[in-house]
Structures are given as structure tokens and as C-alpha cells.
Amino acid sequence: MSTSENNLVSERLSTLDDSEIVRIARLQLPYITTAYEVLFHRYHNKLIQVCYRYLNSKEEAEEAVNDTMLKVFNNLHRFEQRASFKTWIYRIAYNQALTRLRKNKLNQVDLEEAENEEVLNTANDLADKNQQLNKLLDRLSIEERSIVVFRIAGDLEFSDIALIVDQKLSTVKMRYKRALGKMTEGASS
């Protein structure tokens, strides 16, 4: 298939929902990667943003996302569709980020690096807001941070977050409310 034909197929695939693309990717992999590449491009930047909020390092976040996408590539045939693909991929990214966090014991945000993050944009006012957000996120436990990051940066529903962090829906909502309270308290002080 030529490059232009491949681009046309990718464009058509990108109009489909995740479940259809996953179905096609499962049929194609490992020899043809067109559908997988559509999934990769659909989630890559969002996953980097989420992982960055855990790891506070662009390089670590990129590594976690690369590991996530490799796991998706190698295990897509095992995806059972008990939850949505979005929930499944975020769960993998969450586990990768926590594993790296435990290994590296990174607990503080490198604010100078955050100003230069391509993922977070280079606008000065946005960098200042990111610094403020990072300071507020640092006030939270890893569980609270997970819920807030998935809700805000990942744009996930509470039910999806509950599946990802393996907690009850009511617990997730309560922790989210408490986390927002802590962040509001931190913003006003």
C-alpha cells in the first residue's frame, strides 16, 4: 500500500469510535499497524499529560506512555471489553506511572522543567497556571491526585475512574470532592 493510500485509510479509521478501531486493530496486528496507529495518535498526548502529573518529568512521562503503548500493541488481543478501551488504556498508563513513581520516588515537581514542557504549551501565562496547579496537586495523596488528574486532564467519567483505580464509585466521588477542597484551601492560602 502506498503512503497516500495508507493516509487515506488512517483518515477513514480516525472517524470511527474506539470499539470499531480496536476490532480492526485486533484483526490487523501484528503485521499491519494502521488501526493501532490511529489509536496511538488518539491517546498519546492525553496519556503524556496524565503521566506527567504523576511523574513530574517529561522524559519519565514519555517513557511511561511508550511502555503503555507497547503493552497495548502486545496485548490488544487480550482486551476483553469489560470496560471501554479508553478505561483500559488509562488503567495501563496509570499502572505504568505508579510503577515508575515507585522506582524513582519522584515526589516534587521540577517547576523549571514545567515551564519548558512542550506538552503543557510554552505560553508564559499557561506555564504560571501549570505551576500553580502542580503546587496544588502536590498537596494531594497519590490516590487523590489520580482521581483529579483522570477527571480533569483525562476527561474521564467517575465510573471509568473507579474502574481504573479499582475503587467504589462513591469512594472516588468522595475523594474527588475532598481533593478539590484541599486544592481550594491551598489556592486561598
Side-chain angles (χ1 to χ4, degrees), residues 23-36:
R23 186 184 64 75
I24 294 167
R26 289 171 89 167
L27 295 171
Q28 290 181 337
L29 289 177
Y31 305 107
I32 302 171
T33 60
T34 310
Y36 168 79

Side-chain angles (χ1 to χ4, degrees), residues 8-181:
L8 183 61
V9 170
S10 291
E11 285 178 32
R12 287 183 182 162
L13 284 173
S14 65
T15 63
L16 300 176
D17 68 1
D18 287 350
S19 60
E20 279 298 306
I21 298 172
V22 167
R23 186 184 64 75
I24 294 167
R26 289 171 89 167
L27 295 171
Q28 290 181 337
L29 289 177
Y31 305 107
I32 302 171
T33 60
T34 310
Y36 168 79
E37 290 171 23
V38 170
L39 292 170
F40 179 92
H41 292 297
R42 185 172 286 179
Y43 286 101
H44 189 259
N45 287 336
K46 279 282 191 190
L47 291 174
I48 286 179
Q49 289 175 358
V50 167
C51 289
Y52 177 83
R53 294 294 179 191
Y54 288 109
L55 300 168
N56 304 318
S57 163
K58 180 182 177 184
E59 292 79 18
E60 287 290 322
E62 287 173 349
E63 286 294 321
V65 171
N66 288 341
D67 291 347
T68 298
M69 298 311 294
L70 185 60
K71 281 191 179 287
V72 169
F73 182 88
N74 289 326
N75 296 298
L76 192 59
H77 65 281
R78 293 185 185 158
F79 174 56
E80 296 174 359
Q81 298 179 333
R82 286 183 281 180
S84 69
F85 176 77
K86 184 176 184 178
T87 302
W88 186 65
I89 196 170
Y90 273 89
R91 177 67 184 198
I92 295 170
Y94 170 74
N95 289 337
Q96 291 296 319
L98 289 183
T99 299
R100 287 186 171 278
L101 190 61
R102 284 185 204 111
K103 279 184 187 174
N104 299 321
K105 294 183 171 60
L106 297 172
N107 294 321
Q108 294 186 357
V109 176
D110 182 352
L111 297 177
E112 293 173 7
E113 181 180 338
E115 287 179 357
N116 297 323
E117 286 304 317
E118 192 174 306
V119 172
L120 299 175
N121 281 328
T122 55
N124 289 333
D125 59 333
L126 186 56
D128 290 342
K129 289 177 184 174
N130 279 324
Q131 287 178 0
Q132 291 170 351
L133 178 60
N134 287 335
K135 285 180 184 177
L136 294 174
L137 287 172
D138 283 342
R139 298 174 62 96
L140 306 177
S141 69
I142 191 71
E143 293 84 11
E144 293 167 332
R145 182 187 294 201
S146 300
I147 293 167
V148 170
V149 167
F150 283 132
R151 181 73 176 164
I152 295 172
D155 195 31
L156 294 173
E157 297 294 325
F158 285 117
S159 57
D160 292 332
I161 297 169
L163 290 171
I164 293 168
V165 298
D166 197 27
Q167 295 176 0
K168 292 180 181 179
L169 179 61
S170 59
T171 304
V172 168
K173 287 180 178 180
M174 178 190 63
R175 286 191 174 169
Y176 181 73
K177 185 176 179 182
R178 284 185 188 164
L180 291 182

